[in-house]
Amino acid sequence: MLTKTNEISLTEADFAELLEEAEQRGELLSREIELGTDAYLPSALGEMCDRFIELREGLTINIRSGNLSQALTLERHHEEDFSIVAKFYLSGGSRVTTPQVPEIDPDYEEIAGGSYLYYLPNMTEYEQWQANSPIHVVMVYAPLEYFSSFNNTNGILPCPLQV
């Protein structure tokens, strides 16, 4: 975990450790709701809630809302089974670095009003958010296998989605 003045950089392992410490202090980190789960950021990082709602088996919506108390960079490794993601920023934004993907700019910004569709399995990305900037983003996740339920006899789905 690297820390600069009002800035923190975390790996997934660092983030898991931070969650464990917050849980030991008695912080509420998740709760079941009628349609899914609310997950909360440890208070040391700010006030943030991720609401996860399974719309149907294999199709999940994640509504993120909150504000960070310090700038945060999170290093995440996407596994082989990483889902296809549609992301819609309503406010806030982030800088994303994906150095291993030749098809896209390795350093770009996701901004309010922007929408992003990506499928990036087996790679590491770095996402950086600013402090004291309201974040409202809606993400829709679907594993690649989700699209196998679509009737594709007429070849409408692009090749990567034809599983």
Side-chain angles (χ1 to χ4, degrees):
M1 178 182 343
L2 295 173
T3 324
K4 296 178 187 172
T5 307
N6 292 334
E7 185 176 326
I8 190 166
S9 182
L10 301 172
T11 65
E12 288 175 295
D14 294 333
F15 187 70
E17 185 178 316
L18 194 62
L19 286 171
E20 187 176 314
E21 290 169 3
E23 186 175 48
Q24 289 174 357
R25 286 191 306 274
E27 287 188 37
L28 175 65
L29 297 176
S30 69
R31 68 182 176 111
E32 298 297 316
I33 58 171
E34 184 177 344
L35 298 174
T37 305
D38 281 347
Y40 302 99
L41 198 62
S43 62
L45 298 176
E47 293 184 14
M48 184 83 62
C49 178
D50 275 289
R51 176 162 286 174
F52 295 94
I53 302 168
E54 189 168 351
L55 299 175
R56 60 183 278 197
E57 188 172 337
L59 187 62
T60 303
I61 189 168
N62 172 200
I63 303 166
R64 178 174 293 158
S65 184
N67 206 331
L68 296 171
S69 57
Q70 55 188 324
L72 172 65
T73 299
L74 181 61
E75 175 186 332
R76 281 188 17 178
H77 180 72
H78 297 201
E79 300 295 335
E80 175 69 33
D81 62 350
F82 186 76
S83 293
I84 294 172
V85 180
K87 186 185 280 188
F88 308 90
Y89 269 95
L90 306 177
S91 68
S94 65
R95 174 168 294 288
V96 181
T97 306
T98 51
Q100 307 137 311
V101 185
E103 297 88 15
I104 61 174
D105 187 350
D107 186 3
Y108 59 93
E109 284 191 64
E110 295 178 341
I111 58 172
S115 59
Y116 309 88
L117 179 65
Y118 56 94
Y119 173 65
L120 301 169
N122 295 320
M123 54 83 52
T124 299
E125 80 171 351
Y126 303 86
E127 194 160 8
Q128 180 181 37
W129 297 274
Q130 296 302 312
N132 304 311
S133 176
I135 298 168
H136 300 284
V137 61
V138 176
M139 294 166 276
V140 180
Y141 304 100
L144 198 56
E145 299 78 38
Y146 175 80
F147 296 95
S148 65
S149 65
F150 289 72
N151 180 352
N152 193 43
T153 55
N154 56 7
I156 292 175
L157 290 176
C159 288
L161 298 179
Q162 296 176 20
V163 289

